Amino acid sequence: MTDKKKNGGNGQNVGCTVKECRYHTAANCCSARQINVQNETAHQKTETFCATFENRLDL
């Protein structure tokens, strides 16, 4: 399987283990075209979050 197919065809190679997200793939990658990580006041990774997340059950 090519990397392009593994990551959802978007050319990115961003890991994701959030299975409830609509952009999660079986290869544990994110298939979103653009990823938005937010919290401009963050000083630690635990203070950031993926604003791209969309619950696959809400579709």
Side-chain angles (χ1 to χ4, degrees), residues 28-53:
N28 285 332
C29 290
C30 179
S31 65
R33 289 182 179 253
Q34 180 177 352
I35 299 166
N36 297 305
V37 179
Q38 294 185 341
N39 188 358
E40 65 267 1
T41 62
H43 294 274
Q44 300 176 52
K45 67 180 175 180
T46 57
E47 297 173 334
T48 63
F49 64 93
C50 179
T52 308
F53 172 84

Side-chain angles (χ1 to χ4, degrees), residues 4-42:
K4 196 168 189 177
K5 286 185 179 178
K6 285 195 301 190
N7 65 23
N10 63 8
Q12 297 180 57
N13 190 15
V14 177
C16 176
T17 58
V18 183
K19 293 180 179 169
E20 292 79 18
C21 183
R22 75 176 289 184
Y23 300 109
H24 176 265
T25 69
N28 285 332
C29 290
C30 179
S31 65
R33 289 182 179 253
Q34 180 177 352
I35 299 166
N36 297 305
V37 179
Q38 294 185 341
N39 188 358
E40 65 267 1
T41 62

